[in-house]
Amino acid sequence: MVAHTASQTYLSTRGGSYGLPFEEVVLKGLASDGGLFIPEEIPALPSDWASTWKDLSFAELAYNVLSLYISPSEIPPQDLKDIIHRSYSTFRAPEITPLVALNEKKNLHLLELFHGPTFAFKDVALQFLGNLFEYFLVRRNKGKTGHERHHLTVIGATSGDTGSAAIYGLRGKKDVSVFILHPKGRVSPIQEAQMTTVLDANVHNLAVEGTFDDCQDTVKALFADEDINKTHKLAAVNSINWARILAQTTYYFHAYFSLTRSRKWKSSVSKVRFVVPTGNFGDVLAGYFAKKMGLPIDKLVVATNENDILDRFWRSGHYEQQAVHGREAGSGLPEDGAQAHEEGVRETLSPAMDILVSSNFERLLWFLAYQVYGKGSTEEHRTTAGEKVRGWLNDLKSKGGFGVDKAILQAAKADFESERVSDKETVEIIKAFYTTATPAATNGASNGTNGTTYKGGYILDPHSAVGIAASLRSISRFPSPDIHHISLATAHPAKFASAVDLALRDEKGFTFDTILPEQFVGLEKMEKRVTSVRRGEGLAGMRSIIREEVEKELEAR
């Protein structure tokens, strides 16, 4: 058996677990001490990576990157290649995540991440994760029958896109039940329909009264609940699951190599910045791992909407939930899942980013603490980092926030910058790129997905528009012709049609049909299956729902 390297074994950010294999980390999702799993070491790229990887396909790049984190003793090379192939054969674009030019003069590029089954970036990770679950379960259940079989109960919370991507990745999979919690009335109609029209017996949609943060807190409480864990093998599908972060790392490499093949790239002087619209910090964290592995990223720019806890951290060193109440919280569109409420989240035109607490930020905090604090051995450094993270997260829970030392903030600024983008700016950006000819549109490249270009203009969804607004600010600060900006497009505009319509309704020739892919036609009229969960049912109520539904599945098997 081939030994695991340090980058192929995992620990908890809160110090309670060490030396775990990849399979256990994927199937558990969340550590028993409440922490998140990270590799014990970030691997360095091979010395010849720049020359030997530059012409590889997306799937080939994925294999090379993922192999650094997955021991062949756990997943043999050919098996891993097969999992990757199955995961990305469902994408409409041959390049999987194509890079397109939005403004050649400003070296502004868009990384289209919405060519998967549910038209959102999360397909890149969740198609892979679904196939990973299946692979591990088939192996564990070989020769077993009935209740001897390992049955996985997958639980996730969604602000819209994670849910449908998880469901499409897990629907019909044997020995898997999937429960997706979404805030009732606070996801867009298209997102809700994508989830609730999937009628496979192993798929369970739960519409929860409250916010996404309430859903996410419930998921974390279930993983920490001894009662449910005694009877059910829980697995995470949110970006708290390490496999999701790992899978997303690939498209940073793919985008970089695509950029280096463009005519304006000068290998000796050109630099690249990635701009990432983010709420839960998972997407941009994947870029951090790519950068630390050795991908030459100049900066990662965190782009937030008006829920700006991350932006405030990079500006002040304080990570605090500052509640916004009453009328001020109501600028989003109910039609796209945004509703004013008083739990502290400001509802915006980019509702998938309307999150108070960014779960994956904990992973970055561990690496910052490991870098800044601790003396002595590697084990002592890890212990100190875990203690620091545990203290910060306890303060967040008990006091609503925490501050970090100047050294931690400086370490964070070495790799990241941040921008906060308002709803008004979001609308202006959508309008500006629709009415301005862009290379991506005038070249007629749809990359297999309709609805993003029209008469020479490019149609952005509101989340992608947040990224573009942040990109333009970064460009204004660093106007050098040698700096390229790649902004991540996280969703197709049809998923947030009301926000797009708000921006473009007065533009000549624009109609909703302009952005509607054929896969969405009639979706909202299809049969749905969803269970409503009242606010007062709490953890006990959620536990009962899960047990009852899983038992029904097992009896019918």
Side-chain angles (χ1 to χ4, degrees):
M1 180 176 287
V2 179
H4 289 61
T5 65
S7 66
Q8 295 167 343
T9 53
Y10 295 85
L11 57 81
S12 167
T13 52
R14 301 189 191 181
S17 301
Y18 293 93
L20 297 177
F22 180 73
E23 180 175 350
E24 184 173 347
V25 164
V26 171
L27 293 180
K28 288 186 69 171
L30 191 69
S32 55
D33 62 0
L36 304 183
F37 292 118
I38 53 175
E40 294 192 349
E41 181 178 291
I42 298 176
L45 294 172
S47 59
D48 60 352
W49 73 275
S51 59
T52 58
W53 292 15
K54 64 183 179 67
D55 296 318
L56 297 182
S57 68
F58 187 94
E60 290 167 335
L61 273 176
Y63 173 76
N64 283 1
V65 172
L66 271 55
S67 295
L68 298 175
Y69 294 92
I70 304 170
S71 171
S73 66
E74 293 195 69
I75 305 180
Q78 189 56 52
D79 289 357
L80 181 56
K81 289 177 181 179
D82 290 343
I83 291 169
I84 291 168
H85 174 74
R86 291 201 309 275
S87 300
Y88 301 121
S89 63
T90 60
F91 281 62
R92 294 175 298 280
E95 293 184 64
I96 312 302
T97 58
L99 186 70
V100 301
L102 278 190
N103 189 315
E104 289 186 328
K105 184 178 180 181
K106 293 183 177 180
N107 289 333
L108 175 60
H109 313 267
L110 192 71
L111 183 59
E112 294 182 338
L113 302 176
F114 49 73
H115 294 288
T118 70
F119 295 76
F121 82 98
K122 296 179 181 182
D123 287 321
V124 176
L126 285 164
Q127 286 291 300
F128 175 68
L129 182 58
N131 286 317
L132 268 183
F133 282 151
E134 183 177 50
Y135 177 83
F136 290 140
L137 288 174
V138 167
R139 188 165 65 188
R140 289 188 174 207
N141 289 329
K142 187 176 181 179
K144 296 180 180 178
T145 59
H147 285 280
E148 290 181 332
R149 296 182 67 83
H150 188 106
H151 188 93
L152 209 58
T153 301
V154 175
I155 302 174
T158 186
S159 55
D161 286 336
T162 291
S164 56
I167 287 168
Y168 276 64
L170 293 167
R171 62 185 302 181
K173 301 278 189 195
K174 194 173 183 180
D175 297 311
V176 179
S177 301
V178 55
F179 292 84
I180 298 298
L181 287 64
H182 72 266
K184 187 174 184 178
R186 289 172 178 165
V187 298
S188 76
I190 288 289
Q191 290 174 315
E192 183 179 7
Q194 281 186 307
M195 292 187 287
T196 58
T197 57
V198 176
L199 305 180
D200 295 67
N202 72 322
V203 172
H204 308 278
N205 283 286
L206 306 179
V208 180
E209 290 183 353
T211 67
F212 168 76
D213 288 282
D214 294 325
C215 296
Q216 187 161 250
D217 287 345
T218 300
V219 169
K220 290 180 178 179
L222 285 164
F223 276 95
D225 180 49
E226 291 185 10
D227 193 338
I228 191 73
N229 279 279
K230 287 178 181 177
T231 56
H232 291 67
K233 297 177 178 67
L234 303 188
V237 76
N238 282 84
S239 56
I240 58 175
N241 194 307
W242 162 248
R244 278 193 53 181
I245 307 300
L246 178 57
Q248 290 171 191
T249 305
T250 300
Y251 52 68
Y252 285 90
F253 286 90
H254 191 259
Y256 171 78
F257 285 123
S258 296
L259 181 60
T260 61
R261 290 191 290 268
S262 67
R263 62 182 180 82
K264 294 190 69 177
W265 181 265
K266 303 172 186 176
S267 58
S268 59
V269 295
S270 291
K271 296 180 180 180
V272 60
R273 289 176 158 232
F274 282 88
V275 185
V276 189
T278 190
N280 222 15
F281 203 70
D283 204 2
V284 72
L285 184 69
Y288 173 79
F289 277 95
K291 189 175 190 296
K292 290 302 182 183
M293 289 169 70
L295 189 67
I297 299 172
D298 181 58
K299 286 286 184 181
L300 294 158
V301 182
V302 175
T304 78
N305 62 17
E306 294 171 30
N307 294 292
D308 58 355
I309 186 170
L310 291 169
D311 181 61
R312 286 186 278 109
F313 171 82
W314 261 277
R315 296 182 186 281
S316 69
H318 293 274
Y319 188 78
E320 298 172 327
Q321 302 177 53
Q322 294 184 353
V324 178
H325 296 294
R327 291 175 59 189
E328 190 179 5
S331 62
L333 294 174
E335 294 85 356
D336 279 342
Q339 294 181 352
H341 55 90
E342 299 194 358
E343 287 86 348
V345 182
R346 177 164 186 156
E347 298 293 346
T348 73
L349 298 178
S350 45
M353 295 159 60
D354 291 346
I355 297 171
L356 268 184
V357 177
S358 303
S359 290
N360 282 291
F361 190 58
E362 179 173 339
R363 286 182 161 116
L364 175 65
L365 287 172
W366 189 93
F367 283 103
L368 295 176
Y370 183 87
Q371 175 183 337
V372 171
Y373 300 118
K375 297 179 180 179
S377 67
T378 298
E379 288 72 21
E380 289 171 320
H381 269 77
R382 290 172 179 169
T383 298
T384 300
E387 290 172 350
K388 286 290 184 180
V389 170
R390 193 162 59 248
W392 286 327
L393 271 293
N394 285 340
D395 285 347
L396 178 64
K397 185 175 182 178
S398 62
K399 302 175 184 178
F402 60 86
V404 299
D405 295 341
K406 184 177 180 180
I408 292 287
L409 182 58
Q410 289 304 116
K413 287 183 175 181
D415 295 308
F416 296 89
E417 292 179 359
S418 71
E419 294 288 351
R420 174 189 189 272
V421 177
S422 69
D423 273 354
K424 181 181 178 182
E425 291 171 290
T426 301
V427 168
E428 290 171 350
I429 288 293
I430 295 173
K431 185 177 294 187
F433 280 84
Y434 176 80
T435 56
T436 303
T438 62
T442 54
N443 292 340
S446 67
N447 289 310
T449 301
N450 297 327
T452 57
T453 61
Y454 185 72
K455 292 185 177 180
Y458 194 98
I459 306 170
L460 295 161
D461 96 283
H463 306 79
S464 304
V466 168
I468 292 297
S471 299
L472 292 174
R473 288 189 203 162
S474 179
I475 290 169
S476 68
R477 292 197 307 273
F478 301 97
S480 168
D482 297 325
I483 296 180
H484 292 254
H485 284 74
I486 296 178
S487 189
L488 274 56
T490 56
H492 189 282
K495 300 198 77 167
F496 302 94
S498 294
V500 175
D501 183 67
L502 176 67
L504 302 181
R505 63 177 55 155
D506 296 328
E507 298 300 323
K508 186 177 180 180
F510 176 80
T511 66
F512 179 75
D513 292 340
T514 302
I515 61 171
L516 192 65
E518 60 183 24
Q519 293 90 336
F520 288 1
V521 176
L523 187 63
E524 294 175 51
K525 297 179 181 179
M526 294 172 64
E527 181 184 352
K528 298 179 176 66
R529 182 161 60 87
V530 60
T531 300
S532 294
V533 181
R534 297 190 306 275
R535 185 187 296 272
E537 293 192 41
L539 179 61
M542 193 66 68
R543 190 192 299 131
S544 296
I545 291 171
I546 291 170
R547 281 188 168 138
E548 181 179 337
E549 294 299 330
V550 171
E551 189 59 34
K552 286 180 184 177
E553 283 186 56
L554 295 177
E555 288 177 357
R557 190 165 65 184

